Amino acid sequence: SSMGELRIHSVLVSGANRGIGLGFIQHFLGMPTPPKWVFAGCRDPKGQRAQELQNLASKHPNLVIVPLDVSNPASIKAAAATVEKQLGGSGLTLLINNAGILKINKFEDETLDDMKQIYTTNTTGPLLMGQAFLPLLKKAAQGIPGSGLSCSKAAIINISSSGGCISAPEVFDLIPAVSYRCSKAALNMLTKCQSLGYREHGILCVALHPGWVQTDMGSAAGHQPPVTVDTSVQGMLKVFSSLSEKDTGAFLDWEGKVVPW
């Protein structure tokens, strides 16, 4: 199925100022029928690290940069209020929880503070985002009658990682990253819980492994990842267009393959 079938009225991407998040923003803006609203959440919209977003916003009136720190509940609430105001009575079609952090620690160097910080951003962040944006997602779902679930109706996409896969722990010797792995295994469980809790509201919930991607995070361990941001995002958008109710609660990769838990 082609990307043309994705009809997304509005989308919010967290961690949108670089890497995969920025890739999503670029691809949404470049769609044949782009969303009416593209919300780019990032911690410091006016800062140096959001320069590329600022450039895009000056060219695309449908791009709105929203201050958003997913480790801060007050920031999440404020972002939801900003988005609601901008949407002016319509719902939010797609919430992409992409913001994440990674610390390349040796096993013996993991600390309480690192565990807390990483879990707060990678796992609790998407939980609180789901809660805050639920009214807008519900509104989007209500606008498209019928019982089927899809990304064109209302969906939460959690960007996870095969690093959180318990049955096949990827390249542990290369990158132990225990706190990160734990946070992503927990994010997968959160996705399953969201899929069960939000199904009655018509909201699809999926965890996606974007591949090992050439970003600052992907390269943090000093190895060159095989997948470009462009290839990963294009693949994930293709997956979006094919998702239906049979996929809610699933853990898939950027090529649409099921990833083991």
Side-chain angles (χ1 to χ4, degrees):
S1 60
S2 74
M3 257 174 63
E5 291 169 65
L6 259 187
R7 281 183 298 279
I8 293 166
H9 171 266
S10 54
V11 55
L12 181 139
V13 182
S14 68
N17 61 307
R18 58 193 183 131
I20 291 166
L22 182 61
F24 271 126
I25 300 295
Q26 289 163 332
H27 277 270
F28 283 125
L29 293 172
M31 283 169 93
T33 315
K36 184 176 179 193
W37 296 112
V38 176
F39 298 100
C42 71
R43 282 181 292 194
D44 183 13
K46 298 197 163 47
Q48 197 49 52
R49 288 167 88 173
Q51 193 57 58
E52 185 59 32
L53 270 186
Q54 294 160 25
N55 297 346
L56 285 169
S58 66
K59 296 189 200 85
H60 298 273
N62 59 331
L63 173 59
V64 179
I65 308 175
V66 180
L68 173 62
D69 176 356
V70 302
S71 69
N72 177 341
S75 172
I76 291 175
K77 284 202 172 85
T82 300
V83 169
E84 180 178 27
K85 201 168 157 196
Q86 193 75 49
L87 286 170
S90 61
L92 179 71
T93 314
L94 192 55
L95 170 63
I96 302 179
N97 285 314
N98 165 74
I101 53 175
L102 165 70
K103 284 201 173 174
I104 302 285
N105 283 347
K106 293 199 181 82
F107 210 156
E108 57 272 25
D109 297 334
E110 292 286 7
T111 63
L112 172 65
D113 284 345
D114 284 347
M115 277 298 272
K116 276 198 333 206
Q117 187 196 1
I118 287 170
Y119 192 88
T120 298
T121 297
N122 294 3
T123 314
T124 313
L127 167 82
L128 299 178
M129 289 287 289
Q131 289 173 340
F133 286 92
L134 182 62
L136 292 173
L137 290 161
K138 277 161 81 165
K139 197 175 267 186
Q142 284 155 7
I144 298 182
S147 59
L149 303 179
S150 81
C151 283
S152 299
K153 182 175 183 171
I156 297 173
I157 305 288
N158 293 325
I159 303 301
S160 187
S161 168
S162 61
C165 164
I166 291 174
S167 49
E170 215 175 77
V171 295
F172 184 80
D173 302 334
L174 199 64
I175 314 170
V178 172
S179 53
Y180 177 78
R181 288 172 186 274
C182 291
S183 74
K184 291 300 190 179
L187 177 63
N188 291 344
M189 176 54 98
L190 171 69
T191 308
K192 182 62 88 174
C193 293
Q194 287 174 328
S195 75
L196 297 168
Y198 297 159
R199 170 177 273 180
E200 60 174 312
H201 304 306
I203 302 165
L204 175 89
C205 303
V206 173
L208 270 191
H209 166 53
W212 189 6
V213 185
Q214 293 168 16
T215 61
D216 293 348
M217 182 190 279
S219 310
H223 302 273
Q224 171 73 346
V227 186
T228 65
V229 169
D230 213 44
T231 304
S232 169
V233 170
Q234 252 173 333
M236 287 191 282
L237 288 174
K238 198 173 163 193
V239 172
F240 288 2
S241 66
S242 70
L243 293 172
S244 68
E245 55 272 15
K246 71 178 185 339
D247 303 299
T248 197
F251 182 21
L252 306 170
D253 73 7
W254 59 285
E255 295 177 300
K257 297 193 195 82
V258 173
V259 185
W261 299 113

